[in-house]
Amino acid sequence: MIRYALRCEKDHEFEAWFRSGDDYDRLAGEGGVPCPVCGETKVAKAPMAPAVGRSRGAPPQKPGGDDKGGEEKVQLTVPDPREQALRAAIRELRHKVTEHADYVGDRFADEARKIHYKETEPRGIYGEATADEATALAEEGVEFHPLPSVPEDRN
Ligand SMILES: [Zn+2]
């Protein structure tokens, strides 16, 4: 089978299937391929390339008039250099904070409290606390700060 894009004398474009090129020539010559819009039997192949035998499964052609924005788009980005700089700065800060601090893990709340109440030597510590523990520490006036974390490192 061959599909031809056809155009009638009044510029209506349409498509029709034929068994072969000869079949088209014969039918069109006999006026056997009327325009579906106006019935005009004087039709000719449209200048657009006919889709020959592109058979089953070929995607339907996009309807005309949609061609301007019809090209497929891909999403691209150029990362903002400020974000890179910020991440580097956070990493640096985090390194500085932890460099001379003791890691106390989930004993952070206890240790921070001991330091606050001078029950142990004053020093830098870092570790984990639950939100409840952090709230309690804040209410007691214990000084602490969130350890800066780089967004991409959170996982
Ligand atoms: Zn027509």
Side-chain angles (χ1 to χ4, degrees), residues 89-101 147-148:
I90 292 172
R91 232 178 246 119
E92 176 70 13
L93 178 59
R94 189 184 167 96
H95 178 70
K96 283 200 168 136
V97 167
T98 57
E99 193 177 13
H100 300 296
L147 186 62

Side-chain angles (χ1 to χ4, degrees), residues 8 10 12 35 37-40:
C8 82
K10 290 171 186 165
H12 301 127
C35 168
V37 178
C38 66
E40 174 59 60

